[in-house]
Amino acid sequence: MASTKPIPDLRPARLNALGAFAASIAHEVKQPLAAVALNAQACMKWLEQDPPQLDRARAALGVVLQASVAAASMVRSLDGMARQAAPERGPVIVDDMLRDVLQLLRAELRQQRVTLTEALSLDLYQLNADRVQLMQVIMNLVLNAIEAMRDVHDRPRAVQLRSAQLDGTLRISIADSGPGIPPALTERVYEPLFSTKPGGTGMGLAICRDIIQAHGGQLWSEAAQPQGTVFHLSFKEYTLWTPSRS
Ligand SMILES: Nc1ncnc2c1ncn2[C@@H]1O[C@H](COP(=O)(O)OP(=O)(O)O)[C@@H](O)[C@H]1O
Ligand SMILES: [Mg+2]
């Protein structure tokens, strides 16, 4: 079936979405940086004592090292997102990618009092994909889930992230305990600019579907039980991860 609908240019919205992620990442990076400052100061104090408390200084330096490595890895993820112009495909281990996304979303989940549970079983499966784009899709879906539960006060705000092999496909699912999507809107939500949120861009799901389809995959949602929505991603083409010989 030929479509006459013009294909919108999704690039500006992609950059806007990046701004929202940047805020939550900045928040997350503050913690390790504070740990660096505090422990460097402590280290100085232990060294200045007479005699210098070398064991304590070394322990403080250990924390400095750990915290700076953590901060650097967060900044690297953001940097990768901002820098990327053309999609770049390569082998992506599904669960590694999902864990990286969760790392970036921790602060936001905590702040919004959302409990995230994960059931990941694609540690050995990889997609030939643009890693940053996949991360962006998962982030968008989890952020939508969080936003959908903003008015939930009478039950836990829960997000469940699953990855599994199912009927010869790889499946990633994100379920929430929000109000759900009315049946009449299940397809409309993918239309560019369709949003029910004040100030929403309505571009998130349009971009997500665009990216997933470009990867030969599918994106859809269904009602979650007992309430809420579950978004599914599925991919027909994948490979088993094998340790590289070097
Ligand atoms: N997890 C969800 N639960 C309920 N409704 C959702 C969920 N995800 C998306 N929607 C609906 O789909 C609409 C479009 O989402 P999206 O394209 O990401 O744009 P935006 O988030 O800017 O509104 C949302 O405004 C909301 O009505
Ligand atoms: Mg959105």
Side-chain angles (χ1 to χ4, degrees):
M1 192 178 68
S3 167
T4 50
K5 221 166 136 187
I7 298 167
D9 183 358
L10 298 176
R11 274 167 304 182
R14 249 173 220 164
L15 289 175
N16 286 342
L18 198 62
F21 305 146
S24 94
I25 293 162
H27 181 91
E28 194 72 358
V29 170
K30 268 186 217 152
Q31 272 183 17
L33 284 184
V36 166
L38 207 71
N39 284 278
Q41 222 168 20
C43 180
M44 207 108 85
K45 195 187 82 192
W46 298 126
L47 290 177
E48 279 164 2
Q49 298 213 340
D50 191 16
Q53 306 268 319
L54 293 183
D55 282 349
R56 289 183 152 153
R58 191 175 294 118
L61 269 186
V63 179
V64 168
L65 190 63
Q66 238 173 10
S68 58
V69 167
S73 105
M74 288 170 199
V75 171
R76 243 195 327 274
S77 314
L78 179 62
D79 204 34
M81 283 192 184
R83 201 179 291 268
Q84 193 175 31
E88 271 174 44
R89 297 247 176 132
V92 175
I93 297 176
V94 176
D95 288 355
D96 281 357
M97 181 274 295
L98 293 175
R99 289 196 189 95
D100 280 359
V101 176
L102 293 187
Q103 171 89 339
L104 295 175
L105 284 167
R106 260 188 337 164
E108 186 65 15
L109 289 162
R110 201 168 40 228
Q111 210 163 28
Q112 305 296 330
R113 295 187 182 75
V114 173
T115 310
L116 186 137
T117 52
E118 45 183 275
L120 306 183
S121 48
L122 295 178
D123 249 331
L124 296 179
Y125 290 86
Q126 59 188 15
L127 296 166
N128 179 34
D130 184 303
R131 191 173 211 277
V132 172
Q133 284 190 345
L134 287 190
M135 286 178 69
Q136 235 175 303
V137 169
I138 306 296
M139 272 215 189
N140 259 306
L141 295 175
V142 177
L143 288 174
N144 272 350
I146 295 173
E147 284 161 9
M149 296 186 292
R150 209 152 264 178
D151 294 329
V152 169
H153 302 289
D154 59 341
R155 56 179 184 268
R157 296 179 188 171
V159 171
Q160 205 178 35
L161 179 66
R162 296 181 155 273
S163 72
Q165 196 196 23
L166 201 74
D167 303 330
T169 66
L170 296 193
R171 172 83 66 94
I172 301 170
S173 306
I174 295 114
D176 64 62
S177 59
I181 298 177
L185 299 182
T186 44
E187 275 305 307
R188 287 205 61 198
V189 294
Y190 301 97
E191 289 174 12
L193 305 181
F194 177 89
S195 177
T196 57
K197 300 168 196 170
T201 63
M203 296 307 287
L205 288 174
I207 294 170
C208 289
R209 198 171 242 187
D210 176 65
I211 292 174
I212 296 308
Q213 287 179 347
H215 281 81
Q218 285 179 298
L219 170 65
W220 74 100
S221 74
E222 59 181 348
Q225 297 306 327
Q227 68 260 308
T229 312
V230 51
F231 276 87
H232 299 287
L233 303 169
S234 88
F235 301 91
K236 281 199 293 267
E237 283 178 30
Y238 58 89
T239 50
L240 262 174
W241 177 80
T242 43
S244 64
R245 282 160 292 168
S246 51

